[in-house]
Amino acid sequence: MKKILVLGATSGIAQACVRLYAARGASLYLVARNAQNLQAVAQDAATRGAARAEAEALDLDDFEAHGPLVARAEAALGGLDGVLLAHGVLGDQAACERDFAPTRAVLTTNLLGPVSLLTHLANRFEAQRKGTLVVISSVAGDRGRQSNYVYGTSKGGLSVFLQGLRNRLSRSGVAVVTVKPGFVDTPMTAGVKKNALFATPEQVARGIVKAAERGSDVVYLPGFWRLIMFVIRCVPERLFKRLKL
C-alpha cells in the first residue's frame, strides 16, 4: 500500500502502523477527532520519510461526512490503494448495562460508522478493481463475555460484515483484511491490569503491515490468540455461562 487513508490515526495501533508506512515512503491521509494529536502524528510521519502526510480532523460518528471525506483523501493523494480503519472505542460495560445510551454510542462508533465508511470505500475500490481494506476488529467479537459483551457485539458484527464484504470484493481483486488483536497496551486499555497476554502496539503493527502485504483474510495478533479463541469458542454454552469471563 502506497497511498493510504488512515481512519482513527491517533490510536496507539494506528500510530505504530503510520510510523512503519512512513518509513517506506508511503503517502498518508490521516483522520482523527483530536486535531492537536493528529497534527503531531502527521508531523512525525513526515520526519520519518512519508512522501506526503495530510491530516484532517473529523468526527467519524458524522455519517454524512464520510462520502466527502473519501473524495478529499483520493484527491489529495491522487487515488487510494489502501485503507487502515482503526477507529473505535472500548466503552464502559457497566454503564451500558444501566442505560441504552452508552450502548448505542459504542455500536455507533465501532459498528455503524465503519459500515458506513466501508460502504463508500468498497464501491470505489470495486470500481477501480484493486486495493486493500484493512480493518481492526477484535478477538472480543468471537464470543460474548459478561465483562465486555457490548464492545464484543460491535466487533462481532463488524467481523461478519467484513466477511461478507470480502466474499463480495474478492472477484474484483480487492483484499479485505480482518485484524483481530488480543490485549494491546494502548491508552484505550490504560485502566486494565496488564498481564503476559498483552502485546505492544509495535508488535501488532508489524503483523498488520505483513497481513496487508499478503492480502490475508483474517489475522489474529499476536498469532497465539487464534488458538485461545478456538478453545473459547468450543466451550459448550451450558458450561460457558457459569464462567466469570
Side-chain angles (χ1 to χ4, degrees):
M1 300 197 299
K2 283 294 186 181
K3 298 178 180 179
I4 309 169
L5 170 62
V6 183
L7 301 159
T10 56
S11 77
I13 294 174
Q15 287 188 53
C17 290
V18 166
R19 288 194 288 272
L20 293 176
Y21 282 120
R24 296 176 172 209
S27 296
L28 303 163
Y29 198 91
L30 309 173
V31 182
R33 186 178 317 199
N34 187 305
Q36 186 174 1
N37 292 345
L38 182 62
Q39 198 57 45
V41 175
Q43 290 175 353
D44 181 66
T47 60
R48 291 175 185 270
R52 190 163 187 173
E54 298 283 341
E56 177 177 342
L58 184 70
D59 180 0
L60 291 174
D61 285 349
D62 180 2
F63 297 172
E64 297 301 318
H66 291 173
L69 166 67
V70 173
R72 287 194 296 274
E74 281 185 321
L77 301 185
L80 292 173
D81 61 12
V83 173
L84 171 61
L85 199 162
H87 174 58
V89 295
L90 186 57
D92 184 331
Q93 174 65 33
C96 290
E97 292 175 14
R98 292 191 297 270
D99 185 9
F100 175 65
T103 298
R104 182 171 58 188
V106 171
L107 296 177
T108 296
T109 300
N110 290 0
L111 177 57
L112 297 180
V115 166
S116 170
L117 286 160
L118 288 166
T119 298
H120 289 286
L121 290 161
N123 290 339
R124 290 173 182 268
F125 277 38
E126 186 175 44
Q128 69 185 19
R129 301 189 68 79
K130 64 178 180 180
T132 303
L133 300 170
V134 182
V135 184
I136 298 180
S137 184
S138 171
V139 297
D142 278 19
R143 189 157 194 179
R145 296 180 293 121
Q146 61 179 297
S147 59
N148 70 346
Y149 63 81
V150 172
Y151 176 76
T153 296
S154 68
K155 293 299 188 179
L158 179 60
S159 292
V160 172
F161 182 83
L162 294 171
Q163 191 175 42
L165 198 62
R166 182 163 45 247
N167 189 232
R168 167 191 160 191
L169 296 180
S170 62
R171 294 169 181 78
S172 303
V174 179
V176 178
V177 182
T178 303
V179 179
K180 295 187 176 183
F183 301 128
V184 185
D185 189 2
T186 65
M188 180 184 282
T189 60
V192 180
K193 187 177 181 180
K194 305 300 184 293
N195 57 46
L197 294 177
F198 271 78
T200 66
E202 289 73 21
Q203 285 177 289
V204 174
R206 288 193 291 273
I208 289 173
V209 172
K210 186 179 294 184
E213 288 176 343
R214 292 175 175 173
S216 302
D217 295 328
V218 181
V219 58
Y220 287 78
L221 295 173
F224 59 75
W225 280 101
R226 184 179 293 276
L227 176 60
I228 292 174
M229 296 315 298
F230 173 75
V231 172
I232 289 177
R233 288 196 305 272
C234 288
V235 177
E237 193 69 29
R238 184 179 295 275
L239 174 61
F240 194 78
K241 67 183 181 182
R242 298 176 183 173
L243 303 176
K244 291 187 176 180
L245 296 175

